[in-house]
């Protein structure tokens, strides 16, 4: 595996946190990351927004980057402290898309 | 499209379609499948219900079956014909839990 010495963005920089904006915002953010030279992009989302992350990955793959692949999907449980101090568990997903 | 007939039928028996019932219904359905001898259970969900499928898998793993593992997670796009005849695309997830 030979690679040129172009600056390799660290993995952390390629994380996109999926929130409450329209899905296409995250699609655009993902495409932009790839256009900026990222080899992979990780979409992270929690709770109800998990479906938006899946939508984002599917739209990127089906409509914009037919050659990319879903390299990995992880699910986990995260603990969040809410404003009143109580501890809430919430499911989370991490979808790794590879160029 | 050729498909072997050996693998499919068995898998189908262990599929749980995640819908709009409370999450614990699907947790219970999953545990029941395992108690009935299933080696693996596949949770399937579409659209907004994807997060419920992830919640189900996480609750099964964290609270009831600490030794089970998430063997596979697939995402895809399905086409649905709505009542007025128009074609809608919807994301879907399949989570395979193994005993």
């Amino acid at each position: 595996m030979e690679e040129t010495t172009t600056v390799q963005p660290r993995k952390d920089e390629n994380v996109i946190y999926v929130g409450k904006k329209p899905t296409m915002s995250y699609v655009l953010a993902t495409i932009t990351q790839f256009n900026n030279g990222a080899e992979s992009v990780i979409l992270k989302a929690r709770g109800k927004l998990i479906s938006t992350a899946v939508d984002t990955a599917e739209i990127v793959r089906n409509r914009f980057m037919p050659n990319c692949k879903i390299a990995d999907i992880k699910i986990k449980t995260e603990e969040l402290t809410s404003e009143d101090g109580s501890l809430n568990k919430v499911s989370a997903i991490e979808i790794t898309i590879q160029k």
Side-chain angles (χ1 to χ4, degrees), chain A:
Chain A
M1 296 238 280
E2 277 190 29
E3 274 188 334
T4 49
T5 51
T6 43
V7 184
Q8 187 78 7
R10 280 185 327 189
K11 266 198 167 178
D12 277 4
E13 294 169 13
N14 298 336
V15 171
I16 292 169
Y17 292 92
V18 174
K20 290 177 182 175
K21 290 182 200 166
T23 308
M24 290 311 285
S25 308
Y26 304 106
V27 172
L28 185 65
T30 306
I31 307 285
T32 306
Q33 291 273 29
F34 280 121
N35 286 344
N36 288 343
E39 286 298 313
S40 66
V41 169
I42 303 174
L43 298 168
K44 292 192 181 189
R46 282 178 185 149
K48 294 287 173 200
L49 296 169
I50 287 174
S51 60
T52 310
V54 174
D55 286 343
T56 303
E58 283 298 300
I59 292 171
V60 167
R61 180 164 60 169
N62 290 324
R63 217 185 296 174
F64 297 99
M65 298 179 61
N67 295 325
C68 78
K69 64 169 195 173
I70 307 298
D72 192 29
I73 304 176
K74 286 199 191 86
I75 59 173
K76 56 180 180 176
T77 302
E78 293 184 353
E79 291 190 342
L80 297 177
T81 313
S82 62
E83 285 175 16
D84 62 1
S86 66
L87 205 64
N88 287 319
K89 287 186 178 181
V90 65
S91 300
I93 199 167
E94 292 183 15
I95 304 173
T96 307
I97 307 174
Q98 223 157 45
K99 214 174 197 170

